[in-house]
Amino acid sequence: MKEFEWFTEDHTGDVRLSIKARHLYGEDTPFQRIDFFESATFGKFFTLDGLMMVAERDERHYHEMLVHVPMSVAKDPKKVLIVGGGDGGTLRELVRYPGLERVDLVEIDERVVRLCQQFLPSVASAIDADPRINLLFEDGVRFLKEVPDASYDLILVDSTDPIGPGEGLFSCKFYQDCFRALGPDGILVNQHESPFYETYAQSMRRAHKRLRETFPVSEVYHFHMPTYPSGMWLFGFASKGPRPVQDRCADAPAGTSAMPTRYYSAGMHVGAFALPPYVAALLSEEGGA
Ligand code: SAM
């Protein structure tokens, strides 16, 4: 096995992230290149097409904020859909809710699931471990086209960036299909890119404009993600009615002794929706793409 060397990801044309890491395994799947590394600072991590996906050290920031914000607002959700999320981190956080009856995970690339079970067991721990979970290895865009109306209470789009197989998960048509697939108080949360670097800010604005045109409630929240470009990452919160801060359930378990967390708390939930003025301006009607 190779000695430690540097994993480097280009964040922009003149900004890079480098992590001293040892390459563990790499494979060309039918959809993308997947590589696994181990590092002193971020633990084990994996990349898709050379882009950082999940690192043991900060993955809970992402998976806890993706799951516990909507789960602290949704009224007694029973059926949840995850689009993407093949590493299993979102699943792991969701199955902590005993009231959930079913979680469908639609992941286009089965090799991501199987390899994360092998190299990142702390993240993929819920896969094949909970009878409520259904794994579907297909394109999320096609799946949402065909799924019956009002099939889910919550949809979590835990996707790659809007390039390659992930591109269709940021389209108007996809958001309209998600709207149709959600029940009357349905909530959609999606990976919403980042405001700091121009390329990601353009994707963020485009996604927000499309969600705003599709859902009556459409907000954005931020969290700290050291291994992602600029360290500031966003999720979009769209719904048919419930509002993310005003309608947070006071007795939501996440972040309490009943459901201990590393990053999510009631205070972080509320604070995450307080956006810096420059971000609010980028997301406004005027600033939107
Ligand atoms: N947390 C990561 C991030 O923010 O970039 C993403 C987590 S997960 C690894 C992203 C997953 O989306 C990948 O496993 C990829 O195979 C999957 N994916 C991409 N496009 C897809 C599509 N059209 N349908 C279903 N899954 C898709």
Side-chain angles (χ1 to χ4, degrees):
M1 192 179 295
K2 285 183 186 161
E3 282 312 303
F4 279 85
E5 51 193 20
W6 289 94
F7 159 76
T8 295
E9 177 180 337
D10 290 342
H11 285 176
T12 70
D14 56 10
V15 177
R16 290 178 169 173
L17 167 74
S18 289
I19 302 174
K20 199 162 200 176
R22 177 184 292 142
H23 186 248
L24 299 176
Y25 177 76
E27 180 180 314
D28 288 311
T29 81
F31 298 93
Q32 50 214 335
R33 170 76 190 180
I34 184 168
D35 286 284
F36 288 83
F37 299 83
E38 70 178 343
S39 69
T41 301
F42 286 99
K44 280 193 274 183
F45 62 89
F46 86 98
T47 64
L48 291 178
D49 292 335
L51 302 180
M52 174 65 77
M53 288 291 128
V54 175
E56 285 178 321
R57 178 78 184 279
D58 65 356
E59 57 91 1
R60 287 181 187 276
H61 299 206
Y62 180 99
H63 294 119
E64 289 183 10
M65 290 303 278
L66 175 54
V67 170
H68 301 307
V69 166
M71 286 299 287
S72 298
V73 176
K75 297 184 183 73
D76 192 24
K78 297 294 179 199
K79 293 172 288 180
V80 179
L81 170 67
I82 302 169
V83 180
D87 51 85
T90 303
L91 266 180
R92 180 197 65 208
E93 291 305 310
L94 267 178
V95 296
R96 298 174 73 181
Y97 290 85
L100 284 186
E101 290 172 357
R102 193 171 117 211
V103 183
D104 292 339
L105 181 130
V106 178
E107 163 60 60
I108 201 166
D109 191 347
E110 181 173 6
R111 291 302 291 153
V112 173
V113 174
R114 301 308 172 202
L115 290 170
C116 285
Q117 284 182 289
Q118 184 181 345
F119 288 98
L120 286 170
S122 66
V123 179
S125 54
I127 297 171
D128 294 344
D130 189 308
R132 295 173 292 172
I133 295 172
N134 301 294
L135 298 180
L136 303 150
F137 298 116
E138 58 182 283
D139 183 345
V141 176
R142 196 175 58 74
F143 180 86
L144 263 300
K145 264 201 199 90
E146 296 162 5
V147 75
D149 291 5
S151 295
Y152 296 102
D153 304 304
L154 172 62
I155 297 177
L156 303 176
V157 185
D158 181 8
S159 71
T160 40
D161 296 329
I163 45 177
E167 187 172 1
L169 303 177
F170 290 77
S171 70
C172 292
K173 180 70 178 71
F174 177 73
Y175 293 144
Q176 289 156 9
D177 287 336
C178 289
F179 186 92
R180 183 184 55 73
L182 283 165
D185 282 325
I187 297 172
L188 164 77
V189 175
N190 75 316
Q191 194 275 90
H192 209 72
E193 302 287 291
S194 170
F196 193 78
Y197 295 135
E198 183 52 29
T199 314
Y200 300 94
Q202 278 173 14
S203 305
M204 168 197 79
R205 288 206 302 250
R206 224 180 357 260
H208 187 62
K209 182 171 184 294
R210 292 168 179 172
L211 282 167
R212 200 174 51 218
E213 289 166 355
T214 312
F215 286 84
V217 174
S218 178
E219 298 196 31
V220 172
Y221 59 108
H222 63 94
F223 60 103
H224 179 220
M225 198 60 188
T227 52
Y228 283 9
S230 83
M232 179 180 193
W233 215 253
L234 305 177
F235 285 124
F237 180 107
S239 90
K240 292 188 173 181
R243 298 158 304 169
V245 175
Q246 303 91 320
D247 296 327
R248 181 182 183 279
C249 308
D251 60 354
T256 70
S257 54
M259 190 181 289
T261 47
R262 175 179 169 79
Y263 190 90
Y264 177 89
S265 70
M268 288 298 281
H269 179 128
V270 175
F273 287 89
L275 298 175
Y278 89 92
V279 179
L282 282 171
L283 291 167
S284 68
E285 293 274 347
E286 300 65 48

